[in-house]
């Protein structure tokens, strides 16, 4: 059912993007988690997504496709090509849960990833003198040197937000 559910979720996201565009302008992004199964299939689903964007008058640049970190390790040529096609259409790609596995920055660049997310567990323990702070800051610096943007996942406190701003983290997600 992943393809049917994924198609429905995408159509709902396009409708929401249309609504926000009418009321807020176009300065926003919607992130969609995509399963490996959706990327391993033929391009038919991606083509439908592109058609929905065109019909809705929505730019692919308003969407970010999120893949899990482990997909980088097992990514077939088909998955890599799908990600490249999304990117070529203006849709950005993010790696979710970065830091939970064994991804390397080399893999991120090879797969043409534009964003990645620092794992929520790292952010949960973030404080000024913590190992998590040193790790997050190092990731932000390296990412920026490679032309990548960083999303901190699970930002829940003003202190976390301030620390991330101070280190130059690009985006945050969370209850705050």
């Amino acid at each position: 059912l992943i393809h049917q559910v994924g198609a429905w979720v995408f159509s709902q996201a396009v409708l929401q993007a249309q609504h926000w565009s009418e009321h807020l302008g176009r300065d926003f992004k919607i992130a969609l988690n995509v399963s490996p199964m959706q990327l391993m299939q033929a391009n038919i689903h991606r083509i439908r997504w592109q058609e929905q964007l065109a019909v809705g008058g929505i730019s692919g640049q308003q969407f970010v496709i999120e893949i899990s970190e482990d997909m980088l390790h097992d990514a077939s040529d088909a998955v890599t090509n799908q990600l490249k096609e999304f990117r070529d259409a203006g849709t950005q790609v993010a790696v979710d849960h970065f830091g939970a596995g064994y991804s390397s920055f080399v893999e991120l660049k090879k797969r043409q990833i534009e964003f990645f997310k620092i794992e929520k567990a790292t952010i949960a323990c973030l404080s000024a003198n913590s190992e998590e702070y040193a790790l997050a800051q190092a990731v932000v610096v390296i990412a920026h040197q490679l032309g990548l943007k960083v999303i901190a996942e699970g930002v829940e406190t003003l202190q976390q937000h301030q620390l991330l701003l101070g280190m130059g983290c690009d985006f945050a997600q969370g209850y705050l």
Side-chain angles (χ1 to χ4, degrees):
L1 294 176
I2 191 68
H3 298 294
Q4 292 88 348
V5 171
W8 178 83
V9 167
F10 190 78
S11 68
Q12 294 301 303
V14 169
L15 290 173
Q16 188 64 55
Q18 288 172 310
H19 176 75
W20 285 339
S21 290
E22 291 171 10
H23 293 87
L24 304 174
R26 291 188 174 235
D27 192 18
F28 64 87
K29 292 198 181 291
I30 296 176
L32 296 167
N33 289 329
V34 177
S35 84
M37 293 295 294
Q38 289 173 282
L39 293 178
M40 286 186 229
Q41 289 288 5
N43 294 343
I44 189 69
H45 298 288
R46 189 199 56 78
I47 292 168
R48 285 187 193 144
W49 286 10
Q50 298 297 9
E51 289 171 358
Q52 287 181 11
L53 290 173
V55 168
I58 301 297
S59 168
Q61 294 176 349
Q62 290 177 254
F63 288 87
V64 177
I65 300 299
E66 292 187 3
I67 61 170
S68 61
E69 179 184 15
D70 59 341
M71 279 185 64
L72 294 177
H73 301 293
D74 302 323
S76 66
D77 287 340
V79 169
T80 301
N81 290 337
Q82 289 276 16
L83 294 175
K84 185 178 182 321
E85 287 179 24
F86 275 120
R87 186 167 186 239
D88 290 347
T91 302
Q92 296 173 315
V93 178
V95 175
D96 200 4
H97 303 299
F98 186 82
Y102 301 100
S103 288
S104 71
F105 286 100
V106 172
E107 283 297 314
L108 293 174
K109 290 304 286 184
K110 200 185 316 181
R111 304 285 184 207
Q112 300 185 29
I113 303 299
E114 294 152 319
F115 294 92
F116 63 87
K117 296 170 85 172
I118 298 175
E119 171 64 27
K120 181 180 179 177
T122 301
I123 302 305
C125 299
L126 195 65
S127 64
N129 296 315
S130 65
E131 289 180 1
E132 289 78 11
Y133 180 87
L135 174 65
Q137 186 175 37
V139 167
V140 168
V141 169
I142 292 169
H144 287 169
Q145 289 295 317
L146 293 172
L148 301 170
K149 294 183 178 110
V150 181
I151 303 168
E153 186 176 49
V155 178
E156 297 181 1
T157 70
L158 193 54
Q159 179 189 14
Q160 292 167 336
H161 176 70
Q162 293 298 323
L163 290 170
L164 291 163
L165 275 177
M167 68 178 71
C169 186
D170 300 291
F171 300 98
Q173 275 185 327
Y175 292 116
L176 183 67

